[in-house]
Structures are given as structure tokens and as C-alpha cells.
Amino acid sequence: MKKIFFKSTIIILPILFSGCSLSLNSLSSNFKPKRDLTKGIEDNHITRILLSQYREWKGVEYKYGGNSKNGIDCSAFTQRTFFKLHKKLPRTTYYQSRIGKKVKKHDAKAGDLIFFKTGKKSRHVGIYLDKGRFLHVSTSKGVIISTLDNIYFKKHFWKIKRVLEDN
């Protein structure tokens, strides 16, 4: 019995302290956007690449540690997206949160990384688009666009970092 408990603890602990996760109840499973969140986004080089990535990855499910269309986590998605923007990012949310220049929410620009504290030691990252909208990987919906005025994201907002030089 002790061996089973020990083995299950070893498997469960890394999941509990993951660097890129949302709680299972973080987004209501019946949440449906009232409008197309891709409409009205400022058209520039960065937003074209971000929306292209969104269209390519839309709905790909969240998978902790995943890095493919079979499942991807938030930090892998930001890393892959920034590769398209010719910018290398670290693999984990923790290290992504340590680079770049901190900016205020009202100064956010397309391509800025947006971070959330989703638990005592868990963090989540997305990519700011425009007008309070950001691209990320939801545990319940996969790759989606969400808004900062969502109650969950308002509560868990942490910081925004600018990592693109031409931004």
C-alpha cells in the first residue's frame, strides 16, 4: 500500500506544481463568446502572424508538456508562435515570465506576453492581441482567444511583458 501511495505521489506532484496550467474550473465549460473575437483587431505584421497561428492551431487541445497538434500547453504554444515572429523564447512559463520589459495593462501591444497566477505555484501565459483580447491555450477549450474582462482572468492577472524589440 505504501509503494502505491509513493508511486502515485511521484506522478501527481509534478502535475500539481506545473508551470503552465489553469484550474479545471477556471473557464466554464458552457462559456460561449458573444462575438467573433478576431474581428476588429488592428491589422499589422504581428497581428497577422498571431491570427494565422490562431487559425492554424484553433481548438488544438491542452496537454501538459505537449508541443504538437496532438496537444500543447500554454508555454509551448507561445514559444512556437514567437518562433514565427523570429524570436526565441524559453520553454517554460516561469522562464518566459523572467524576460522582457514589464508594461502596464493599458500600454499592452500585440505580441506582448500576458501572465496569470492561476494557483499557489502555477502560472499561465498568453499572447496579447488588441483591445483586451489575447491568444492562449485553455485547459477546457484548447487554443482560443479570450478577453481580459473575463472574471477568471481579471482575478488571476499577474503581469504583461514586452519581448519583441520592434513592438
Side-chain angles (χ1 to χ4, degrees):
M1 184 67 172
K2 286 184 180 182
K3 284 184 180 182
I4 293 172
F5 176 77
F6 181 73
K7 286 180 181 179
S8 62
T9 302
I10 289 175
I11 292 169
I12 292 172
L13 277 178
I15 294 169
L16 290 175
F17 294 107
S18 65
C20 183
S21 64
L22 295 170
S23 70
L24 294 176
N25 296 321
S26 65
L27 295 174
S28 171
S29 59
N30 58 11
F31 169 76
K32 303 239 187 306
K34 295 177 182 148
R35 62 191 189 285
D36 180 355
L37 294 176
T38 64
K39 299 286 186 204
I41 292 175
E42 182 181 333
D43 183 30
N44 61 47
H45 174 70
I46 293 171
T47 57
R48 281 192 293 273
I49 290 171
L50 295 176
L51 290 176
S52 173
Q53 280 290 94
Y54 169 67
R55 286 187 292 275
E56 182 181 337
W57 288 80
K58 181 180 179 182
V60 171
E61 69 181 32
Y62 173 89
K63 180 179 180 185
Y64 176 72
N67 194 11
S68 73
K69 297 243 173 120
N70 293 324
I72 193 162
D73 67 24
C74 62
S75 58
F77 181 73
T78 58
Q79 184 184 49
R80 280 180 164 269
T81 300
F82 273 74
F83 181 78
K84 296 276 186 172
L85 291 164
H86 307 288
K87 175 73 175 178
K88 288 185 179 182
L89 287 185
R91 173 61 180 87
T92 67
T93 304
Y94 172 79
Y95 286 109
Q96 289 176 7
S97 74
R98 297 175 59 93
I99 63 171
K101 175 184 152 193
K102 194 170 182 178
V103 296
K104 295 183 179 186
K105 198 186 287 189
H106 66 270
D107 292 328
K109 293 183 180 180
D112 289 345
L113 293 176
I114 186 160
F115 295 93
F116 303 89
K117 288 186 178 182
T118 56
K120 195 170 187 175
K121 293 193 176 199
S122 59
R123 306 291 181 258
H124 182 63
V125 63
I127 307 165
Y128 192 80
L129 285 166
D130 190 21
K131 300 175 185 156
R133 294 172 281 188
F134 65 100
L135 179 58
H136 69 114
V137 185
S138 158
T139 56
S140 60
K141 302 277 187 201
V143 176
I144 62 168
I145 295 173
S146 295
T147 62
L148 289 174
D149 63 2
N150 172 291
I151 293 169
Y152 179 82
F153 293 116
K154 275 184 181 179
K155 179 180 176 184
H156 295 284
F157 175 79
W158 178 24
K159 64 182 174 180
I160 297 176
K161 299 290 282 282
R162 183 156 300 147
V163 296
L164 295 173
E165 292 82 27
D166 62 342
N167 201 6

